[in-house]
Amino acid sequence: MRKGGSGIIALWRWSAVIATLWIAGCYPINPRLARFDPTGGYRYDNLRDEDPSAQPEQTFVALTFSGGGTRAAAFAYGVLEELRATPIGGGRTLLDEVDVISSVSGGSFTAAYLGLFGQEALFADFRKAVLYRNIESDLTLRVFAPWNWPRLLSPFFGRADLADEYYDTHIFQGRRFADLPKKRPFIVLNATDIARGAQFSFTQDQFDPMCSDLSDVHVSRGVTASSAFPIAFTPLTFKNYGKELCDYQAPPWVALAEQGDFDANPERYALAGTWRSYEDAERRQFIHLSDGGLSDNIGLRAVETAITSTDTLGLYAKINNEQVARVVMIVVDAKPRSGSSQDRSARPPGIFTVLNAAATTPLENYSSDTVERVRQWYNEWDRAAKDFDVRREGCLKLATGLCKKSRPDPACEERRTRCNEHLRASNKYRPPHPKLYLIHVRFEAIPDEAVKNKLQGIGTRLQLPEDEVDLLVHWARRLLKDSLPYRDLVSELGTRSPP
């Protein structure tokens, strides 16, 4: 009887322990959206001008920050320093003109900090708060702390959740997406939906199909998802409530893509399919997010998609209304050195090397393709504008050839007008033709081979020696300042970057 009683007590104790592990370790639940409102929440359309009486801006500026741990965060910070050091008149700098920042992985720390706390706090505190902080050591201590083991043993709480708590407390001060100012720059933190291999952006537009309210989500969670590199960090989990719970209605571009883009634009068609997948909470009850670099390791794809496929940034409309004369895209690319010491050995690479290569190498190659796609996107505008000029010039020559008189002839002018209408060469058919400044800030542009090799060899870690951080910041500033497209931009804006 005593043995049986002891067995029951032991079983009860183990059951209590297991129950404690399951209950104690649970990821934060993203809140439900009570009612779908396409005009509410954190989205680009809701940004307001700092000065409502100011004239519409003629320059649209987008920054993209790559992944790469503290290396990427420091490189992005250096670019922001140089933008702040570039005056454009009226007491403003080029940093004041930035409309949107799209980031992945390590670059998301810099983007989120600027978005939450503003320029003054960024340049006063960011080095100490993030770049010089021993994040990696602090996280390791938390993983090995016995009081965290019950939660880490739970299937519902992982190392990424532990990192999220640390970032929230020590870096982002418990701020939520509702705390992000509704003014430029618009901050887009990007992760990867690992079930679809698709980019997932922390904007209300992205959370709408899941009927989830981004406003009450902690910003640290977006940064953590964006930087949750596989193996080192577990994915973060988000609950999908399904479109019925908030009466969600998909934006028009989704139906248009489904109807006509299978052959004409297969990427847009696939994007619509991913968008629809979030509406089905029965099949996708939970969304698991990992490092944004797995789907786009320079952060440019989110901007390209927002412009060319969904126009959620409203750029096409502004260009067509002649509100934007210049499009500036500054790609801050802190990717590591290509090649590996493994190539000098006959011994097959280890499992961690293979997994890292599988996760990063294809995306490194894809990055250049994304930059070129932006060039092609602009070239289409350029070709359309040149074709328009050719048609218009043709009508002018036709009218001139038919009317070889010294005095103006209304009949000749009428012929030219009819020709312009017939060939779609009148002013109402003039295509938009903004000027593109595509600026790629990357280690490959460093002229000094020794310095270039040193920076490319800096590891993808969450803490670096202060001298390496300072070197990254210095060269980010210099590379941006020395970039020919950047010099042309500064010259066109009628100013000059200080020495």
Side-chain angles (χ1 to χ4, degrees), residues 156 246 266 307 359 383 428:
F156 304 111
C246 66
I307 293 172
R383 283 192 295 269
K428 68 180 180 181

Side-chain angles (χ1 to χ4, degrees), residues 320-334:
N320 288 331
N321 293 331
E322 299 182 347
Q323 292 177 288
V324 173
R326 303 170 208 88
V327 177
V328 181
M329 291 195 181
I330 302 177
V331 180
V332 186
D333 186 355

Side-chain angles (χ1 to χ4, degrees), residues 84-149:
R84 184 184 64 155
T86 307
I88 58 172
R92 295 175 65 80
T93 71
L94 260 178
L95 183 54
D96 296 318
E97 298 303 302
V98 175
D99 293 276
V100 59
I101 301 178
S102 170
S103 64
V104 298
S105 199
S108 290
F109 285 89
T110 313
Y113 205 93
L114 172 64
L116 277 174
F117 304 118
Q119 294 185 32
E120 184 176 347
L122 177 80
F123 297 117
D125 305 329
F126 188 69
R127 289 191 190 230
K128 182 178 180 181
V130 178
L131 299 182
Y132 296 158
R133 181 183 288 274
N134 294 326
I135 295 176
E136 200 169 292
S137 299
D138 290 346
L139 292 180
T140 301
L141 289 174
R142 279 160 175 75
V143 169
F144 286 103
W147 51 85
N148 284 323
W149 293 350

Side-chain angles (χ1 to χ4, degrees), residues 12-304:
W12 179 88
R13 286 175 177 172
W14 276 110
S15 299
V17 169
I18 292 173
T20 300
L21 294 179
W22 279 63
I23 295 171
C26 186
Y27 68 92
I29 303 293
N30 48 296
R32 172 185 165 183
L33 185 66
R35 182 179 62 85
F36 168 60
D37 179 4
T39 65
Y42 190 67
R43 57 185 99 226
Y44 186 79
D45 285 345
N46 289 340
L47 300 187
R48 63 178 184 273
D49 291 326
E50 294 184 32
D51 181 3
S53 64
Q55 295 296 317
E57 297 292 341
Q58 288 287 299
T59 305
F60 180 90
V61 182
L63 307 182
T64 73
F65 295 162
S66 78
T70 298
R71 182 189 64 215
F75 209 53
Y77 175 80
V79 165
L80 295 178
E81 273 198 348
E82 185 58 33
L83 289 172
R84 184 184 64 155
T86 307
I88 58 172
R92 295 175 65 80
T93 71
L94 260 178
L95 183 54
D96 296 318
E97 298 303 302
V98 175
D99 293 276
V100 59
I101 301 178
S102 170
S103 64
V104 298
S105 199
S108 290
F109 285 89
T110 313
Y113 205 93
L114 172 64
L116 277 174
F117 304 118
Q119 294 185 32
E120 184 176 347
L122 177 80
F123 297 117
D125 305 329
F126 188 69
R127 289 191 190 230
K128 182 178 180 181
V130 178
L131 299 182
Y132 296 158
R133 181 183 288 274
N134 294 326
I135 295 176
E136 200 169 292
S137 299
D138 290 346
L139 292 180
T140 301
L141 289 174
R142 279 160 175 75
V143 169
F144 286 103
W147 51 85
N148 284 323
W149 293 350
R151 294 192 299 166
L152 289 173
L153 289 172
S154 164
F156 304 111
F157 188 92
R159 294 182 301 281
D161 296 288
L162 201 63
D164 172 36
E165 291 180 348
Y166 175 80
Y167 301 153
D168 188 45
T169 302
H170 296 281
I171 297 177
F172 299 109
Q173 303 173 22
R175 305 293 179 88
R176 304 166 190 259
F177 278 88
D179 297 317
L180 282 165
K182 301 300 188 295
K183 62 181 182 180
R184 298 179 300 164
F186 184 62
I187 306 299
V188 184
L189 308 176
N190 299 289
T192 298
D193 177 348
I194 60 175
R196 303 279 302 194
Q199 187 174 71
F200 185 100
S201 301
F202 279 75
T203 65
Q204 188 56 52
D205 289 299
Q206 183 84 68
F207 273 64
D208 281 339
M210 304 191 305
C211 279
S212 181
D213 187 358
L214 178 65
S215 298
D216 207 34
V217 174
H218 287 237
V219 171
S220 63
R221 201 144 182 86
V223 174
T224 306
S226 180
S227 58
F229 192 79
I231 304 174
F233 296 100
T234 52
L236 286 186
T237 299
F238 289 79
K239 182 172 177 55
N240 183 6
Y241 296 93
K243 67 174 185 177
E244 291 81 8
L245 289 186
C246 66
D247 297 324
Y248 169 74
Q249 299 294 322
W253 71 264
V254 175
L256 291 174
E258 290 173 323
Q259 294 168 8
D261 285 346
F262 181 75
D263 293 316
N265 192 337
E267 288 190 17
R268 193 165 184 253
Y269 180 85
L271 179 64
T274 297
W275 204 267
R276 289 292 193 196
S277 74
Y278 299 116
E279 299 179 3
D280 188 354
E282 184 175 342
R283 298 185 63 184
R284 304 202 68 193
Q285 298 179 45
F286 302 97
I287 309 301
H288 304 286
L289 303 181
S290 200
D291 194 300
L294 300 179
S295 54
D296 171 23
N297 68 345
I298 58 174
L300 182 58
R301 193 174 183 183
V303 177
E304 182 213 8

